[in-house]
Amino acid sequence: MPKWLKISLKIVGGVVLLFVLIIVGATVYISFNKTKVLKMVNEQLSKSVDGTLVIGDMKPNFFRGLPNVSITLQNVLVRDKQFEKHKHTLLNAKSFNVSLNTLSLFKGTIDINHIAISDADIDLFTDSTGYSNTAVFKKDNKQVKDNKSESSSATQLKNFSFDDVNFTVDNRKDNKLFNFSINDLKGNMAYPDSGWRANFHLDVLAKSMAFNIKKGSFIKNKKLDGNFSAGYNEDKGIVSIKVTPLNIGGDPFIVNAVFRTKKEPTTFTINLVANQLLWKHASNLLAANIQTSLNMFNLDKPIDVTAAINGSFGGGSDPLLYVTAKVKDNKLTIPGGIIDNCNFSGVFTNQYAKNKEISDANSVIKLTKFTGTYNHLPFTIDTGSVLNLEKPVATGNFRSNFPAADLNWFLEDNVAKFSGGTADINLRYRADVVDYKINKPFVNGSINLKNTDLYYLPRGLKLTNTSFSLNFVKDDLILKNIHLQSGKSVVNMEGRVNNFLNLYYDAPEKILLTWQIHSPALYLGEFMGFLSERKTAPKTKSRGNSGNFIDQLGNVLEKGRAEMHMQINKVYYKKFMATDAHADLLTTDNGILIQNVGVKHAGGTLKMNGRVTQGDKLNRFAVNTVVSNVNMPEFFRAFNNFALKDFTADNLKGYLSAKTNISVSVTDAGNLVPRSLNGNLDVSLRDAALLNFQPLQGVGKFVFPFRDLKNIQIPKLDAHFIVNGDMITIKPMEVSSSVLNVDVEGVYGLTRGTNIALDIPLRNPKDDFKITDPEERRKKRFKGIVVHVRAHEEDGKIKIGWNKNHK
């Protein structure tokens, strides 16, 4: 071994031996001067205490504090002067280890370098008046030196550790409660001129971090574990802390915090960053009042989150929160539904209006660049917000473009089915959020459908190549560019509902939709579904949005009214065809009012007013009509002979004018129900002829066997009929024809009950048309022999006989 190495080892060994001898000496010194040293420790610590400081016992630890002397204080109590009043002990430590500077000890002074506390409770208490038991610590640590050898500065810790320590800050004045169970806290400190610096490891359980006890705790029952760097600037009174990462409940966070102690109360700013944090984990870090709202939602995949928390340890207000989140390709669960392919950037703050206090009522959740798919409908919300978490209101811009058939998923077969075509939605919405569900949204913007086929389920109505534009302007609904096609019918429409959004939810029965309708050709038979009673849609499972726009739609379509002003070039109904039609229709809760109807038909005109009353299977059609100069055969054929069997278009020739006040039952298919016709008919015929009318032919065989009654010319005829089911009452009627003159009165039964009296002059009136004087023609009409005949029913057959009781 080289000589220099031997000398070096001897020097090192000597130094080590010297330190050991010093420590042993110090330990022996403490052991033999226990009372004196304990007194010195008490006196040194009491410099900073204005209250009760009790140290139960003290013993040296030879190896623990090398190269310093370590002593353990047992059963240490620190209490303020008002302990008996509030019963909160500031410090109750079973073990309080103090490391002392060995050289200072031999000088007769105490210099504490390290403190280790274990199995202890630290309780910082403030009562409702603002008094705190931390008053036990003197605010001015400077002491007047009575002894030059006595240290004049406060104790400076270089190392510290806590083990199994329960730390509580209980502020009754400001309703704050912070409680941490410290499993392990180890660190060291340095003291530059500006203050101090510390590095330490923290392993604690946060039992309570309540800035407002009434609203619950942040990070409640969450474990915090991390390595901290901290510093204090004495001039600025700022404590700064940084930890990368801090594990909170198992999730890593980057944390930066600043505490400002220059003024009372102490304020703080805490910034947290967490990448790939699960929604539920993030929610569970917040206070109960916020958790309740956020836990109604969920995101399947982790998200990136940042949070800025600004608050103070004084006052009763919540800290200011500013939380951001970035969501990408996620699945969002909301009350009543799921949004797939979800992407957005989100912000939450509880001080939306800067000039108002921090509160739930001043909170906002703001979402930007929100995209997703709901019930197969892709959508975009440029900016969406939920304001006032006490009474939430959702607002935003909703955009969507998709195949119209995707609406079927949304409507759930409740109102209509779509196929083909496209849908485009651009809406600005505002809605209350009740029980975390969108309720009664008010919208502005437009909904456009193009070239789609629509099956309207409640009425069984099928429309093809349909397009329309719904425009929500303030409270009104304006319908434009509506093109409907059903079979061969083509309809173009524009409409408007005033005060639509206010009536939509609360008074749908007051909704009045005013239509302007134009059509080149309308086939009424294709719209018979509107005559039938509305079919009840099949029950579907709730979307969780009861009372919302779509759920209310069927109710509005049923209860709302429509006022239609129609201009139609050609109208077809079975054999009926009219031109230049116009009408005003008003739908009611049980039918349709028909007003100002006018058409050109069979060379004449028809005008009509009436009402259709819907029933279970049959519909009642009541109408007042004015028929002017229509071709009778065409007119009767168009209306299927008005359900008459013996008196048809084949029996008629000439022109008809009439006034009617009748009602009739109509099936859902639009067919007249036999024997359902009731009312009055005033009929005027001009240049008419009665062809092959069997009742008169029967009379002719009996009375005029040699006259041809197959073609009876009637230049003019005015008659009045009363129809009651299958019975037609014929008021006294004069028939002056080319074959015979007849006065007719009685009842004609379509199926039974016929009883008609006929007064028939036997003279041949074929030359009466040559008489130009009406009065002379009338006098001559009943000259000669008059036959009084009665046509009546017996045993289901019509029998012709003499009318013995004629007047």
Side-chain angles (χ1 to χ4, degrees), residues 267-394:
T267 62
F268 62 86
T269 298
I270 302 174
N271 294 301
L272 300 96
V273 177
N275 297 321
Q276 299 301 292
L277 178 66
L278 285 171
W279 176 274
K280 289 294 186 183
H281 289 192
S283 171
N284 291 338
L285 299 179
L286 302 175
N289 62 314
I290 304 173
Q291 279 190 46
T292 302
S293 301
L294 296 183
N295 285 343
M296 299 299 297
F297 307 86
N298 189 42
L299 286 161
D300 283 8
K301 298 178 183 178
I303 60 177
D304 296 338
V305 177
T306 70
I309 306 172
N310 289 274
S312 73
F313 293 104
S317 63
D318 290 338
L320 171 63
L321 301 178
Y322 190 86
V323 182
T324 71
K326 290 187 177 180
V327 176
K328 185 176 181 181
D329 298 329
N330 220 314
K331 178 185 284 188
L332 171 62
T333 301
I334 62 176
I338 293 176
I339 298 175
D340 295 305
N341 307 316
C342 183
N343 300 272
F344 65 82
S345 295
V347 171
F348 166 78
T349 180
N350 54 356
Q351 192 178 32
Y352 177 62
K354 302 301 182 184
N355 59 339
K356 296 182 180 180
E357 66 178 8
I358 296 168
S359 65
D360 288 347
N362 195 23
S363 296
V364 64
I365 299 173
K366 184 174 288 186
L367 307 177
T368 57
K369 298 179 180 179
F370 194 134
T371 63
T373 303
Y374 179 73
N375 270 355
H376 291 255
L377 300 186
F379 67 89
T380 299
I381 298 177
D382 296 337
T383 301
S385 300
V386 178
L387 301 168
N388 187 353
L389 295 188
E390 285 187 357
K391 296 180 179 179
V393 176

Side-chain angles (χ1 to χ4, degrees), residues 3-22:
K3 185 176 180 180
W4 65 268
L5 181 56
K6 290 180 180 181
I7 296 173
S8 298
L9 289 175
K10 288 179 181 180
I11 294 173
V12 171
V15 172
V16 171
L17 180 60
L18 178 61
F19 274 106
V20 170
L21 290 173
I22 292 173

Side-chain angles (χ1 to χ4, degrees), residues 694-723:
Q694 291 299 322
L696 285 182
Q697 286 186 19
V699 174
K701 290 180 181 180
F702 180 74
V703 181
F704 305 107
F706 302 107
R707 292 187 190 182
D708 183 8
L709 300 180
K710 294 183 178 180
N711 185 355
I712 302 174
Q713 300 294 320
I714 307 173
K716 179 181 178 181
L717 174 64
D718 294 314
H720 180 70
F721 302 94
I722 300 175
V723 182

Side-chain angles (χ1 to χ4, degrees), residues 15 40 82 104 305 348 361 565 674 795 806:
V15 172
M40 287 192 298
Q82 296 191 28
S104 297
V305 177
F348 166 78
H565 304 283
D795 300 326
H806 73 278

Side-chain angles (χ1 to χ4, degrees), residues 391 442 735 804:
K391 296 180 179 179
F442 280 72
V735 180
K804 298 178 182 180

